[in-house]
Amino acid sequence: MAKKQDFRTVLKKMVNFEDENHNPSNNDSFNQVLERARLGRRGFLKGSSSLVAASMLGTGMAFLADSVKQEGAAAASDLRLSFSPVSKGIADTLTVPEGYTARVLLATGDPLKRNVTPYKNDGTDNDFEVRAGDHHDAMHYFGMNRAGNGWAPDGSDRALLCINHEVCEDLGFVHPNGPTNYGPESTEARPAVEIDKEVAAHGVTVVEVVKQGSTYEINRDSRYNHRVTAATRCQISGPARHSPMLSTAFSPSGEQTRGTLNNCANGYTPWGTYLTCEENWAGYFNRREDDTARTAKELASFKRYGVGNATSGRYNWSRADAAGNTDIYQRWDVSKTASRANQDYRNGANTFGWVVEIDPFNPNAIPHKRTAIGRFAHEGCWPAAAVAGQPLVFYSGDDARNEYMYKFVTAAKWDPRDATRGQAAGDKYLDAGTLYAAKFNDDGTGEWLPLTMSNPNIANYADYAFADEADVLINARIAADAAGATKMDRPEWGGVNPVTGDVYLTLTNNVSSSSGRGVKTPLNAANPRYYADAKGDTVSKGNVNGHVIRWRETGSNPATTTFDWDVYLFGARANAEPDVNLSGLTDENDFSSPDGLWFSEAVPGLLWLQTDDGYITDATNCMMLAALPGTVGDGEAKMVTNKSVPINGDAEQQVKTYVGQTASPTVLSRFLVGPRDCEITGITESPDGRVIFVNIQHPGENSASATDPAEFTSHWPDGGNARPRSATVVITRNDGGKIAV
Ligand code: FEO
Ligand code: CA
Ligand code: CA
Ligand code: CA
């Protein structure tokens, strides 16, 4: 019999799916040993005196200046942040600087078509296929030509917004009385109507916006408005297409799958298509089977990606009640239930974790899962500038504790004539190339390690016998283990500075008493901080506040395999001690847990940072900051003293790292603070830089009830007793000027 579960009990048991560790490899410690041997010096000091520490700093970094960097710095030097910083705050409001206006454009459940009824926000609307999905995340603005029938990058009168919908609210605000038999521990059936709604609330919204005065409105009559959901048929393309590891009852030949999931960050292509990225898909699958049913390789893969053998899946989608007991639900069960792989969904999880290309201008086109870019918890897929005659380059983070940073280099060289070819160009560029994982050396240099069978470390890997290139891409995490990549503090968003070419990546935090940085994972120069932050009466275990790393590829060919790096910025409370507040943050710009990171193209050199924080939420809700970031190497080498590091027996540990210039309020300033219990994630802009679109995700996430307004921690954006909703907001400057500068 279906039963309601107490929210507090269910949520307490829920894993934070974005914050997992499934990387048991010893890559960090191994790398450090090699590094120390190669450099003939210690990569870190343990319990050393400050005198020794000072001598280690030497004369700073060797890679400080080159001509490209100076040119870039000069081009951006005219930029000034022109707004007054927003104060930290914990009110249930969205605050932007004086002289700016923020307005809700499209919230969870809002109609995408004129004939769809307004969203009642009481859990009774079931037609999410024609409404905005839930948990708005990354988004991108695709300008349209004046005729309204195609892509025009500078089009400002009309545009298509592609908006990711990462998950469906755990609390079940989309249901009348919260979710039934919910959570990975449940073994009871769920009403099919609830499952259908949750499936449809995931994915992507494509919606047309039109310029109205100084702002934009939704065009609900547009033929382009549509949803891609966790039920949409998708093509599998690239090297893993036809792999027996992708064979399912739905597509025995491994050519197709249904749905895209946990659409987190994004990317876009020089031919006007959208890249939506599947992040935390592992928690969606039911696998309740004895491990002896599976091969050693299958078990290694499940373990590395976090698919346990005692789970019903985050939403328990495979267990529909009698009304929905069909293949469309059973497909979420990845147990071995038949004699052959083409008769069940044992390989179902292998069809998720990819970058998915969607052509927003062709609503009938089938989305393509581009397997050449690898399978992991894809946070996003960010392009470097396209240069005629050179390969295209895309960067991806794998967001879980101690996971890696990836780079995909296309086999085909860029031909600008392909800019109008839509997904046919995707077939040319995104289905063949080389995937690399990053190794950050302790001396400020780095290497891209190829993930192919021609890499002997992969072909001869003792822990997992890769069958072919498809196996390497499907199990990219294991391939990166074999190659010797560096474990990072949860790679979230990345981006390429259009002025300098430097690549930035947020490392949101790495906190856990069982595997956090400095607890079970050694500190290194690129992840140098363990912080015992006295937050109330708890002591944190790891890198609590996160940082932003950046690097410069060697030379002018983006296919290069070496780089120089430094840490652009460390999150911290302004009043933290100097070994924690390493970037010199002040009240105007202190933040924690950077997540969204995005470079404006309309205002080259302007960077936006967004937070998904749980560590300074006593002082402030999550926020967005504007930054003028300088260049790789604009700061200095620093010795960071970490106190009471558990992995070293609670001893003090000093780590040498490279820190960018001090973040004074003139180059980093708080622009927005969101409502309670939200995350700020996703941003895009009009081509003239006078309008930005920002997503507010899951306000009221820590509410204790989905139905009792007194238990909601937020009522944003509707106010009163309303259930909170995620939403896209439009921000304009009252004098019509460019945003932030
Ligand atoms: Fe969905 Fe790692 O953020
Ligand atoms: Ca994120
Ligand atoms: Ca996050
Ligand atoms: Ca999120």
Side-chain angles (χ1 to χ4, degrees), residues 109-131:
D110 280 350
L112 299 180
K113 299 282 187 187
R114 176 123 2 238
N115 61 359
V116 176
T117 55
Y119 188 55
K120 293 193 280 297
N121 197 18
D122 60 4
T124 59
D125 290 300
N126 291 336
D127 48 352
F128 267 81
E129 293 83 359
V130 287
R131 299 180 181 277

Side-chain angles (χ1 to χ4, degrees), residues 511-531:
V511 184
S512 159
S513 56
S514 62
S515 62
R517 182 67 65 181
V519 179
K520 287 282 168 58
T521 311
L523 298 166
N524 59 30
N527 302 274
R529 203 168 49 159
Y530 168 84
Y531 179 22

Side-chain angles (χ1 to χ4, degrees), residues 12 47 66 99 113 191 217 223 257 273 343-344 385 424 448 474 567 592 601 639 643 652-653 675 678 695 709:
K12 219 167 20 184
D66 63 34
K113 299 282 187 187
E217 300 286 354
R223 69 186 175 93
T257 187
T273 61
Q343 297 166 334
D344 62 20
W448 290 109
I474 291 167
V567 177
S592 176
E601 290 182 10
M639 194 63 73
K643 291 178 185 159
E652 180 176 297
Q653 182 181 337
C678 77
N695 281 333

